[in-house]
Amino acid sequence: MPELPEVESIKRTLEKKILGKKITGVKIFWSPAVVSLPGKDFAGLVKDRVIEGLGRRGKYLLIYLSGGLTMIIHFRMTGRLIYYPENCSADKHTHAVFSLDKGEMHYSDIRKFGRIQIVPAHDAAGLPSLAKLGPEPLDEEFTLDRLRNLLMGKKTQVKGALLDQKVIAGLGNIYVDEALFRAGILPDRQTSSLQPSEIKRLFKGIVEVLQEGIEARGTSFRDYRDADGNKGLFQETLRVYGRGGLECKNCGQILTRQKIAGRTTVFCRKCQK
DNA sequence: AGTGGCTCCTGAGCGC
DNA sequence: TGCGCTCAGGAGCCAC
């Protein structure tokens, strides 16, 4: 499931392939995957525009087109955006193919939760889904003080707070569990009960786990691929996610798997307090 | 404000 | 081999 490190990896790999290229045509195979401007045909709107830049906000990938349009993509669970240097056939999960003046870009999504929305560039930041997002955890604006303020203002379990995109943008189930393990904090702790030393460890845990995730080019637990179709490597480094019932890599205790804040959560009862 | 449930959707995994 | 079931999950929405 593409979280911040995966979307960042897609952005970086895609950038090298599509920047400056022109979209010469678009084929839509499953129309709910694309959201156009009211009353406008998506393919017609996008055709003949040049890809001028790529960006990321939280788990959203932004593709800036000439003529003041932005494509906003959310991959949800199984979305993929892959560049092929040669034309190739679409498979059963391909929902859109963007022909470029060299090669083509395939958008596919097994579970059909992802969306590609097109908006005028000047409206993008005001789009509710983007406007509500919390700080970027790898930007300078995200500081220990900022995290403390974000958490102290809530009365909820820390796991739920970290998953909330309005609190911090870009964390999902994998990186939240990993950050909490590194910080030694139980996921069901109330945010208001966290001590300053714990918030400090959590801050470090979040930043490190995301940076290492990006360095490993993302986590391919199951479906994730970058824009070249390659897997990431961070699944090798995961300490808790997907390891319920296995031994803790730190202390040997059997890891607990439990629903917390509505999500499957894995943690160590000995290492996390 | 917080919580819990539902929805979207497909494939994997399991018991029989 | 295959059927039917459960589960996985990001985020928007709704009721309480």
Side-chain angles (χ1 to χ4, degrees):
Chain A
M1 61 220 76
E3 304 180 26
L4 188 155
E6 289 73 38
V7 179
E8 183 64 29
S9 298
I10 293 170
K11 182 197 159 220
R12 290 182 185 183
T13 46
L14 203 51
E15 217 158 33
K16 294 178 192 161
K17 310 286 183 176
I18 68 166
L19 203 58
K21 290 198 168 72
K22 186 195 241 184
I23 299 171
T24 55
V26 183
K27 282 201 193 89
I28 309 292
F29 300 101
W30 190 67
S31 58
V34 298
V35 181
S36 191
L37 293 174
K40 302 273 191 177
D41 170 58
F42 182 92
L45 215 48
V46 170
K47 189 176 182 298
D48 292 332
R49 292 183 193 261
V50 175
I51 294 160
E52 294 185 333
L54 279 86
R56 182 192 57 75
R57 180 77 174 94
K59 302 174 194 172
Y60 290 88
L61 178 71
L62 310 172
I63 300 181
Y64 307 115
L65 303 178
S66 58
L69 284 186
T70 300
M71 279 203 285
I72 301 172
I73 302 169
H74 199 304
F75 298 99
R76 288 294 214 278
M77 311 298 301
T78 54
R80 290 180 182 181
L81 197 53
I82 294 180
Y83 174 81
Y84 297 98
E86 308 293 335
N87 294 1
C88 69
S89 55
D91 71 24
K92 61 182 287 203
H93 301 302
T94 305
H95 305 320
V97 172
F98 298 83
S99 300
L100 307 174
D101 41 18
K102 169 81 175 71
E104 50 185 39
M105 187 166 67
H106 287 217
Y107 174 76
S108 71
D109 185 3
I110 294 171
R111 292 197 192 160
K112 299 183 170 175
F113 285 181
R115 294 292 181 266
I116 302 180
Q117 183 170 9
I118 188 141
V119 295
H122 59 273
D123 289 347
L127 207 69
S129 49
L130 291 182
K132 289 185 206 161
L133 292 177
E136 280 296 319
L138 296 181
D139 278 6
E140 283 180 11
E141 57 164 347
F142 187 67
T143 58
L144 178 57
D145 273 348
R146 186 82 190 270
L147 178 65
R148 185 183 298 122
N149 290 334
L150 287 163
L151 295 179
M152 289 299 110
K154 295 191 78 74
K155 283 196 167 66
T156 179
Q157 294 174 325
V158 62
K159 165 110 186 190
L162 296 180
L163 282 173
D164 185 348
Q165 302 300 297
K166 297 189 286 300
V167 175
I168 302 172
L171 292 175
N173 211 25
I174 297 175
Y175 292 92
V176 166
D177 276 12
E178 294 298 313
L180 286 168
F181 176 79
R182 291 182 182 215
I185 296 169
L186 287 169
D188 62 354
R189 287 274 300 280
Q190 289 292 120
T191 53
S192 55
S193 79
L194 295 175
Q195 301 302 306
S197 60
E198 294 178 312
I199 296 181
K200 198 171 173 181
R201 293 203 305 266
L202 185 55
F203 178 78
K204 193 165 171 269
I206 291 168
V207 172
E208 283 182 0
V209 87
L210 291 175
Q211 283 174 342
E212 289 176 30
I214 292 171
E215 281 163 29
R217 291 177 281 114
T219 302
S220 291
F221 193 75
R222 186 164 292 159
D223 298 292
Y224 169 72
R225 298 293 184 277
D226 69 17
D228 296 325
N230 294 323
K231 293 184 179 187
L233 298 171
F234 198 62
Q235 62 278 8
E236 318 287 341
T237 310
L238 296 177
R239 301 184 193 170
V240 283
Y241 182 84
R243 301 192 66 250
L246 301 176
E247 287 180 2
C248 173
K249 291 183 178 179
N250 185 45
C251 75
Q253 171 100 1
I254 299 301
L255 295 173
T256 303
R257 183 172 178 273
Q258 192 181 312
K259 272 235 194 301
I260 295 172
R263 300 279 163 238
T264 301
T265 303
V266 183
F267 58 96
C268 176
R269 290 191 184 280
K270 211 164 151 188
C271 295
Q272 293 169 258
K273 300 187 190 313

